[in-house]
Amino acid sequence: MTSIPSAIATPPWTRRHVISLADFTSAEYNTILQTALSFQEVLSRRTKKVPALQGQVITNLFFEPSTRTRSSFELAAKRLSADTLNFAPGNSSLTKGETILDTAKTYLAMGTNLMVIRHRQAGVPSMIAQEMDRLNTGVGVLNAGDGLHEHPSQALLDLFTLCMTLNPEEPRLELLDSHKIAIVGDILHSRVARSNIWSLLASGAEVHLAAPSTLLPTLFEVYGRDRPGKLVLHHELTPALENADFVMTLRLQQERMTQNLLPSLREYHRQFGITRDRLHICKPQVKLLHPGPTNRGVEVTSDLMDDPEISLVSRQVTSGVAVRMALLYLMGTGEE
Ligand code: NCD
């Protein structure tokens, strides 16, 4: 097993839970970026494991389906030498009527130190965090996606990917200052977009949201108030893409749509789908991001997704492990 790089031995960190990025400070973003960089270096070694969280128990409580987020957290915990428990609702006591809180307390009684929680309802990770604090457990809660609310670890790995593209030696929040980032797609249903809006605006970037008005209500304007960056809403694609440095596309979340918000997927693609031709009005070095899973041919064409010159999608997934290691490490070794 390799040693922990000295650069990450004692980073400043006081946050017990990570539920939302709305109140994250620049210092916190930069601590995560620096720590993730060190872990990325660990992951490039032959022995990709460090003893940082040996003896700690990290429990993945995913009440909603997930491929990359759950696997990425599990691998991150294992690379830190923690013991991991994975909860799957389908074959759990939830089917016998057990409440979410009792499920969390069961894992607490087994010695869980950190809980990574995903739930289709907004507020569940926060509710469990409050209960953990009320009981004075010292257990940290990490929100892995709650309803339409937030998905902080996804936005942090997006941030790391963006900053690494600009400066792989020293990824810092300020690198994104004044860069134009277009977020295109189903913003209304996207917790990824909400968390990304906070982190990108904190960097001083210009964030341009683009979607049909049914998927981008004007109430999103409030997110831009009193933040270092600028937030602009568009109900057509072209002005969002013009001179953009980065384009982030989002999945149309058909399972979360309660009404018929679009004429058809074909019509959506015609108006908002990201194609090679449409990227010509962006900066020449434009890069494309997508948190996945993707509806290929709907929000983005397949050839773009797979083009290594343009697409950062695989890098997002790879970065996810280092960034989640950073989060678990900081939360797991922070203040008692
Ligand atoms: C996202 C999610 O679950 O919020 N995916 C992810 O975690 N990478 C986005 C989505 O479901 O479209």
Side-chain angles (χ1 to χ4, degrees), residues 216-273:
L216 178 57
T218 49
L219 59 87
F220 270 81
E221 277 163 9
V222 300
Y223 282 79
R225 279 197 203 141
D226 304 323
R227 303 275 157 177
K230 188 171 141 196
L231 187 69
V232 189
L233 273 57
H234 304 275
H235 293 136
E236 51 185 308
L237 187 58
T238 307
L241 294 189
E242 254 162 5
N243 287 319
D245 297 278
F246 297 99
V247 177
M248 185 181 290
T249 58
L250 300 169
R251 184 173 69 92
L252 277 182
Q253 304 202 11
Q254 295 169 70
E255 79 282 12
R256 294 212 178 106
M257 291 202 189
T258 47
Q259 302 139 19
N260 297 322
L261 296 172
L262 291 171
S264 70
L265 293 184
R266 186 193 294 227
E267 181 58 18
Y268 175 83
H269 181 72
R270 204 180 62 75
Q271 287 191 39
F272 287 92

Side-chain angles (χ1 to χ4, degrees), residues 175-192:
L175 288 170
L176 285 169
D177 190 1
S178 307
H179 281 71
K180 177 169 176 177
I181 299 152
I183 304 182
V184 183
D186 186 355
I187 292 161
L188 176 66
H189 297 100
S190 179
R191 52 198 177 205
V192 174

Side-chain angles (χ1 to χ4, degrees), residues 202-223:
S203 75
E206 267 193 32
V207 183
H208 291 250
L209 307 178
S213 55
T214 46
L215 298 181
L216 178 57
T218 49
L219 59 87
F220 270 81
E221 277 163 9
V222 300
Y223 282 79

Side-chain angles (χ1 to χ4, degrees), residues 64 68-69 118 151 154 191-192 251 253 256 291-293:
E64 195 197 65
R68 61 216 89 210
T69 306
R118 168 171 288 197
H151 193 348
Q154 178 69 43
R191 52 198 177 205
V192 174
R251 184 173 69 92
Q253 304 202 11
R256 294 212 178 106

Side-chain angles (χ1 to χ4, degrees), residues 13 19 22 35 49 57 86 90 132 146 149 191 193 231 247 313:
W13 192 261
I19 304 291
T35 313
K49 224 166 157 144
V57 179
N86 279 304
M132 292 300 134
D146 63 330
H149 177 225
R191 52 198 177 205
L231 187 69
V247 177
V313 174

Side-chain angles (χ1 to χ4, degrees), residues 141-158:
V141 172
L142 215 160
N143 178 8
D146 63 330
L148 309 186
H149 177 225
E150 284 215 42
H151 193 348
S153 68
Q154 178 69 43
L156 292 169
L157 76 87
D158 293 339

